[in-house]
Amino acid sequence: MSDLVVDASVAVKWLVPERHADAAVVALSGEYSLLAPDLIWAEVGNTLWKKWRRRELQEAEASGLLQDFRRFPLRIYASDALLDLAWRVATRYRRSLYDSVYLALASHRGCQLVTADRRLYRHLERSPLGTHLLWVEDLG
């Protein structure tokens, strides 16, 4: 079983039907040990909140999905331990600190970050960090 860092753009697809949701579910196949920084809880929650605000989800549904998210088999890592590396990634590659924390975890663990964030992927796929990136549709 290989390690795989999962970002919120992939994790939210486990909860709601979106583009690339079928591909995202492959991460749950048992082939991977799924890792994420602790900020994934807030990011998935914020995405569900936005969907509620846009009336894509009812309040009870969004709340239930956030509770349901806890059942997924994620090994959670503290973001504060990744901040120095994340800061260097963010400033060098001009990516948000949020995205950089996921990348820092993948780099630190020597594995890949699977993402459905097209802008992040395209910006970094040919950089030295590209070896740590995996497009969601390329899972499996």
Side-chain angles (χ1 to χ4, degrees), residues 67-137:
Q67 294 304 315
D68 194 37
F69 181 56
R70 293 179 173 162
R71 74 177 173 87
F72 291 103
L74 295 171
R75 284 194 345 232
I76 301 298
Y77 289 79
S79 297
D80 64 337
L82 302 164
L83 282 180
D84 291 339
L85 179 54
W87 181 259
R88 290 192 302 272
V89 169
T91 56
R92 179 172 182 192
Y93 296 102
R94 301 193 181 276
R95 296 290 93 197
S96 73
L97 191 62
Y98 298 118
D99 290 342
S100 298
V101 168
Y102 290 96
L103 286 162
L105 178 56
S107 177
H108 174 71
R109 297 290 304 171
C111 64
Q112 290 183 302
L113 161 64
V114 62
T115 188
D117 181 337
R118 179 65 75 184
R119 288 191 332 215
L120 172 67
Y121 183 79
R122 283 192 174 153
H123 188 84
L124 294 174
E125 69 180 318
R126 289 186 174 79
S127 77
L129 288 175
T131 60
H132 293 292
L133 279 175
L134 179 64
W135 178 244
V136 66
E137 289 289 340

Side-chain angles (χ1 to χ4, degrees), residues 10-17 44 48 64-66 68-69 71-72:
V10 171
V12 86
K13 291 170 186 350
W14 300 337
L15 301 168
V16 294
V44 168
L48 294 171
L65 289 171
L66 184 58
D68 194 37
F69 181 56
R71 74 177 173 87
F72 291 103

